[in-house]
Amino acid sequence: VGMVRNGLIVLFIMYWCFTFIQTKDMVNWLVENLPVFLFVLFFLWQRKTILSISMLSFVCIVLFVLMHISGSQYAYTHHPIGIWMKEVFHLQRNGFDRFVHFNFGFLITLPLTEFIKRKLQISNMFIFS
């Protein structure tokens, strides 16, 4: 489990660096990644609690952050996946930002619930036990 978590952290760092190097709009990349910078600081500050969450929750966090930094590389509205979605589904605008925003709620709910349960030492919270 520890090796998988470390591997996911390395993947995140490598992809984050790649998007930084490959971005065409550095100002946008920096603005879009401000929440990621803050999350990394929070992660380092709360690493004992965050590393104690389930592997599923950890994977959910990594997936969401990877989607977010991918969006920041292309300034969301120019993301190739969004352009593809726009053409295939006949959308009026690039759908990548909607996809990522949906996944913020979908992928972050379980990790956030687990984090709060562990931090506040709550045994039963909402629907997650």
Side-chain angles (χ1 to χ4, degrees):
V1 172
M3 284 179 41
V4 174
R5 286 181 199 262
N6 291 341
L8 289 171
I9 291 169
V10 168
L11 173 70
F12 158 73
I13 292 169
M14 288 174 53
Y15 191 62
W16 205 18
C17 292
F18 171 78
T19 62
F20 174 76
I21 293 167
Q22 294 294 316
T23 190
K24 293 179 177 150
D25 186 349
M26 188 57 66
V27 172
N28 179 72
W29 189 92
L30 291 170
V31 169
E32 293 280 356
N33 278 281
L34 180 60
V36 179
F37 290 122
L38 296 174
F39 175 76
V40 168
L41 291 175
F42 179 77
F43 182 93
L44 293 172
W45 178 51
Q46 294 290 320
R47 67 185 165 273
K48 184 177 178 184
T49 305
I50 290 176
L51 290 174
S52 72
I53 63 175
S54 70
M55 180 58 76
L56 176 60
S57 287
F58 197 79
V59 168
C60 287
I61 291 169
V62 172
L63 284 175
F64 172 73
V65 174
L66 289 175
M67 281 189 281
H68 177 74
I69 61 178
S70 177
S72 71
Q73 178 185 0
Y74 295 100
Y76 276 96
T77 55
H78 305 292
H79 198 285
I81 294 174
I83 293 169
W84 172 82
M85 289 170 68
K86 184 178 177 182
E87 292 172 6
V88 170
F89 299 111
H90 307 289
L91 303 173
Q92 291 183 352
R93 58 179 259 202
N94 183 319
F96 187 75
D97 63 332
R98 291 180 181 181
F99 177 74
V100 174
H101 284 108
F102 169 80
N103 277 295
F104 176 72
F106 184 73
L107 294 173
I108 298 303
T109 301
L110 179 62
L112 185 59
T113 303
E114 281 189 33
F115 175 80
I116 292 169
K117 281 176 65 173
R118 282 175 175 67
K119 199 67 184 164
L120 299 178
Q121 298 176 346
I122 298 171
S123 61
N124 233 344
M125 182 175 170
F126 305 117
I127 59 171
F128 304 108
S129 301

